[in-house]
Amino acid sequence: MPAHRQPAGSQVTYVSRRVLFLGPQGSGKGTQAARLSTLLGVPHISSGDMLRRAVVEGTDLGRRAAGIMAAGDLVPDDLVVAMVAERLGQGDAACGFLLDGFPRTLPQAQALDEALHGDAVDTVVLLWAPEHELLERLMKRALEQGRTDDTAEAITRRLALYREETAPLVDYYPAQGVAVAEVDGLGTIDAVFVRIVNALAGAW
Ligand code: ADP
């Protein structure tokens, strides 16, 4: 259910929109999250994009993360948690956000709960697709975009890490009373987007 917040003396009701996107690499998460953030008017916070930017800018974080990312491994929780917590503290995230790629492990999910001071996220969207489709999409993206972590080894590693580290979050959130809306990621970008919006309308 939505968290309605009404500051004392205000006539305005704020509807919190705190959405998490879960789903394996290649499920279309990034594309759909960007669209949904525009629709909801909340910032799209992608841990992968933030880390790639840090690598390009050559920051301390970027230098530490570059090799780990290229191998398809996970950047240590403490580094990612600090990066995202700092981003969530910025003003534009006060009325909501759409998190994409974070949390990716149970400790990250617990750290997020702490950072939000028990003010949990509203909804989790789980975007899924069969593994053979994910592999096909990721190999195609590798040819088209030449991302340094889109080698066959790194892709296999990322999908394995998703199963081991991230998939358990699908059970973590319902246990916290947060609904997980499962959405079929097969089909056109428009068709999947309609499914996501419908799933959210049902959850709110
Ligand atoms: P993909 O979903 O295609 O793997 P992302 O852009 O989400 O791409 O992430 C790229 C890489 O950035 C990951 O393989 C990992 O090394 C790192 N990364 C992103 N988010 C996290 C996170 N929450 N925790 C640890 N590492 C992360």
Side-chain angles (χ1 to χ4, degrees):
M1 289 302 288
H4 294 282
R5 290 189 188 76
Q6 194 148 2
S10 164
Q11 298 299 310
V12 182
T13 298
Y14 295 96
V15 179
S16 170
R17 289 167 173 189
R18 301 163 164 222
V19 181
L20 294 191
F21 255 67
L22 282 183
Q25 295 70 21
S27 61
K29 225 170 7 108
T31 306
Q32 299 293 344
R35 273 198 174 192
L36 188 64
S37 79
T38 306
L39 183 75
L40 296 180
V42 298
H44 174 200
I45 301 179
S46 157
S47 52
D49 286 350
M50 292 177 76
L51 286 167
R52 274 186 289 277
R53 213 172 305 129
V55 171
V56 170
E57 288 169 1
T59 63
D60 188 38
L61 170 65
R63 282 195 301 276
R64 293 166 79 174
I68 300 172
M69 292 170 70
D73 279 325
L74 291 178
V75 176
D77 286 338
D78 55 339
L79 297 182
V80 182
V81 165
M83 175 186 81
V84 175
E86 202 260 328
R87 177 66 187 86
L88 288 174
Q90 291 171 18
D92 64 340
C95 290
F97 48 76
L98 204 158
L99 278 175
D100 164 15
F102 179 95
R104 226 179 182 91
T105 65
L106 202 52
Q108 290 181 16
Q110 288 160 341
L112 176 65
D113 287 344
E114 269 173 43
L116 296 176
H117 307 294
D119 223 353
V121 297
D122 301 322
T123 316
V124 177
V125 175
L126 169 65
L127 199 58
W128 59 269
E131 189 141 334
H132 64 85
E133 171 79 13
L134 301 173
L135 275 170
E136 207 171 293
R137 289 183 186 179
L138 289 168
M139 296 312 280
K140 188 163 169 255
R141 186 175 80 183
L143 289 175
E144 287 169 1
Q145 297 179 7
R147 239 174 75 168
T148 50
D149 61 348
D150 274 349
T151 62
E153 295 76 24
I155 288 170
T156 309
R157 178 86 186 122
R158 273 148 59 212
L159 289 176
L161 279 173
Y162 175 80
R163 280 194 301 272
E164 289 161 21
E165 302 281 353
T166 313
L169 299 183
V170 176
D171 294 324
Y172 171 78
Y173 281 104
Q176 311 289 311
V178 179
V180 175
E182 289 193 28
V183 175
D184 176 358
L186 287 181
T188 64
I189 292 175
D190 284 346
V192 175
F193 188 61
V194 168
R195 279 181 216 139
I196 292 171
V197 172
N198 284 340
L200 288 177
W204 284 327

